Amino acid sequence: MTPRNIVILTGAGISAESGLATFRDKDGLWSKVRIEDVATPEAFARDPARVHAFYNARRAQIRDPAIAPNAAHLALAELDARWPGELLLVTQNVDDLHARAGSRRMVAMHGELAKARCLECEAVHPWVEDLSTATPCPACGKTGGMRPHIVWFGEMPMQMDRIGAALEACDLFVSIGTSGNVYPAAGFVAEVAGHARTLELNLEPSAGRSRFDEARHGPATRLVPDFVR
Ligand code: BV8
């Protein structure tokens, strides 16, 4: 049966071949720094300079022209452009590679490295240079409140209503490059199992592999263009 409405979930594995580190692979980000020290609201309240340094370094990395969308990002953007039914790309990634590849119908559910948010007035701004506690908010002018526009552990992911509606309406769910460890994203496959075909495209079986109807294992730059074709 040809699917009509597709939800695609991506994780750090889709950006690995662009040169960005994943989180839980060998030498992954979480092997170098503890989540509790840099990716929770408590960490930011305790030591904002340390949290800013962690995200400023990752933001600088995605500014490097050598870090570019790969064949997997580009294949998903091409699918987005031509798919006549509903399609929503839900990425857990905070890099901007899907947007730069041209994906339009997408949600960055864990926020975006390329943006900053003011805790005082909640305004969200595109950002390039380093953030610090001395950075004034371009909207309200106050300092001390600018934070990375990132969803930390214990915070509600972005646009969950839009994601929930897309999951409810989909008849094909494809998970790409994620270890299936982080919720609520890791629970999406169980949410759709009763009404959608589910496919995992990953370098190796994820934690949720048994919940998928089908799994193909290998590099995303091979699997995703083959899937989109
Ligand atoms: C929330 C931004 C509630 C930060 C991130 C049950 C239900 C709900 C919540 C929970 C729950 N159980 C536990 C929780 C709490 C927690 C959680 O899930 N903890 C885990 C660790 C158990 N969840 C939360 O806190 C979430 N919030 O639930 O709020 C709430 C309710 C009401 C009101 C308020 C709040 C928020 C989670 C978001 C945290 N932020 N990202 C940043 O990036 O710095 S999540 C973090 O993990 C990463 O950032 C990443 O986005 C995400 C997932 O990781 P992956 O993308 O999967 O990466 P990973 O390295 O793990 O895997 C890579 C995969 O790629 C591997 O499988 C590898 O084999 C593969 N691969 C590698 N190379 C390739 C490849 N595949 C293909 N090709 C290749 N070349």
Side-chain angles (χ1 to χ4, degrees):
M1 179 198 74
T2 310
R4 286 186 316 281
N5 304 324
I6 307 175
V7 171
I8 299 165
L9 173 69
T10 62
I14 201 168
S15 297
E17 292 163 91
S18 293
L20 290 179
T22 63
F23 293 90
R24 296 170 184 82
D25 287 329
K26 199 174 72 55
D27 296 335
L29 278 172
W30 298 145
S31 69
K32 298 188 168 56
V33 66
R34 286 173 3 109
I35 287 174
E36 296 75 10
D37 292 336
V38 294
T40 66
E42 295 76 14
F44 187 65
R46 186 171 56 245
D47 188 350
R50 175 162 190 191
V51 174
H52 276 310
F54 177 63
Y55 288 97
N56 288 341
R58 288 171 65 194
R59 189 177 306 112
Q61 196 187 16
I62 63 169
R63 293 274 167 250
D64 176 348
I67 304 287
N70 64 48
H73 298 106
L74 294 168
L76 292 184
E78 187 264 322
L79 179 66
D80 184 357
R82 68 171 163 80
W83 187 253
E86 286 176 35
L87 181 145
L88 186 64
L89 167 62
V90 181
T91 187
Q92 299 176 89
N93 300 340
V94 293
D95 63 57
D96 57 356
L97 295 177
H98 281 304
R100 285 169 54 196
S103 283
R104 291 285 170 269
R105 295 183 276 183
M106 67 175 276
V107 171
M109 68 179 289
H110 290 161
E112 299 170 71
L113 269 178
K115 291 182 182 166
R117 183 165 88 238
C118 175
L119 286 172
E120 301 286 339
C121 70
E122 290 297 308
V124 175
H125 309 280
W127 211 262
V128 178
E129 66 270 21
D130 286 359
L131 280 175
S132 79
T133 49
T135 307
C137 167
C140 71
K142 293 204 177 97
T143 55
M146 292 299 281
R147 62 165 278 179
H149 187 51
I150 294 285
V151 176
W152 285 323
F153 286 89
E155 294 186 319
M156 182 56 106
M158 307 278 181
Q159 299 189 53
M160 285 302 289
D161 292 347
R162 182 178 174 197
I163 294 170
L167 290 171
E168 215 169 298
C170 79
D171 47 17
L172 176 60
F173 177 79
V174 188
S175 175
I176 304 171
T178 179
S179 64
N181 279 300
V182 174
Y183 289 82
F188 291 167
V189 61
E191 268 185 67
V192 304
H195 60 268
R197 193 161 66 83
T198 55
L199 169 63
E200 169 176 279
L201 305 179
N202 206 53
L203 195 62
E204 61 202 4
S206 74
R209 162 65 189 93
S210 61
R211 293 178 162 159
F212 286 87
D213 298 322
E214 184 192 351
R216 298 172 199 162
H217 295 132
T221 54
R222 174 168 59 77
L223 294 178
V224 180
D226 285 353
F227 160 71
V228 167
R229 209 162 278 130

